[in-house]
Amino acid sequence: VERNYKPYLTIDTTNPDKLPIDHVHEATNGGVHAAICTAPSTAAIEQAFEMLRPTATLVVVGIPPAVFELSAPSLVMDGRVVRGSLVGTRQDLREALAFAAEGKVRCCIQERPLADAMEVLKQMRDGEAGEGRVVFTLDGHDTGADADADANG
């Protein structure tokens, strides 16, 4: 992984006045888009889930020794996704993250106005939608998806 990156956010978990979850929600304006939990800890998984913004994804890699609990309303009402991934060793994970850091993972995202939804669905049914994902925007609301895709190649 690139060694020149600096931390975006450092949290003092010993501060009793503010929970780490609150720090993350404040710093990210509502939570993270995705989280990868490699710690085999129920507390870490539960905390990572609470740091997600609506429609975000949590990937659980570390297998905890016990059952963990997640908020059903957050899962269903916010459309959060939890996925399990058996990726192998920590070295496998390091290599996968390095692969992404080297720019070898390309996100194909295009923004379309919500008014185009029926046209996009028809293109998908007809096999003409192309690659990647479509992010629907409300008039005048830029999601930044095109910028993110441009930055990723």
Side-chain angles (χ1 to χ4, degrees), residues 29 45-46 52 106 116 122 137 139:
N29 196 24
I45 294 168
E46 291 166 357
L52 298 175
R106 184 167 179 215
D116 290 354
K122 181 182 181 315
T137 60
D139 292 335

Side-chain angles (χ1 to χ4, degrees), residues 39-43 45 60-68:
S41 157
T42 57
I45 294 168
V60 179
V61 179
I63 301 172
V67 174
F68 55 90

Side-chain angles (χ1 to χ4, degrees), residues 20-96:
I21 295 164
D22 296 330
H23 281 285
V24 170
H25 277 265
E26 182 180 301
T28 60
N29 196 24
V32 297
H33 292 276
I36 302 171
C37 189
T38 60
S41 157
T42 57
I45 294 168
E46 291 166 357
Q47 193 172 66
F49 180 79
E50 291 303 321
M51 290 181 183
L52 298 175
R53 70 178 55 232
T55 72
T57 299
L58 168 63
V59 179
V60 179
V61 179
I63 301 172
V67 174
F68 55 90
E69 295 184 23
L70 303 177
S71 164
S74 293
L75 186 65
V76 176
M77 301 296 284
D78 291 342
R80 295 179 184 173
V81 176
V82 179
R83 296 185 186 274
S85 178
L86 186 58
V87 297
T89 66
R90 288 181 187 256
Q91 182 60 34
D92 292 335
L93 180 59
R94 279 188 206 96
E95 290 172 7

Side-chain angles (χ1 to χ4, degrees), residues 134-150:
V134 174
V135 176
F136 292 108
T137 60
L138 301 176
D139 292 335
H141 293 86
D142 180 16
T143 66
D146 283 337
D148 290 343
D150 290 343

Side-chain angles (χ1 to χ4, degrees), residues 10-21 23 47 51:
T10 303
I11 299 172
D12 178 5
T13 59
T14 63
N15 180 354
D17 297 329
K18 196 169 194 181
L19 295 172
I21 295 164
H23 281 285
Q47 193 172 66
M51 290 181 183

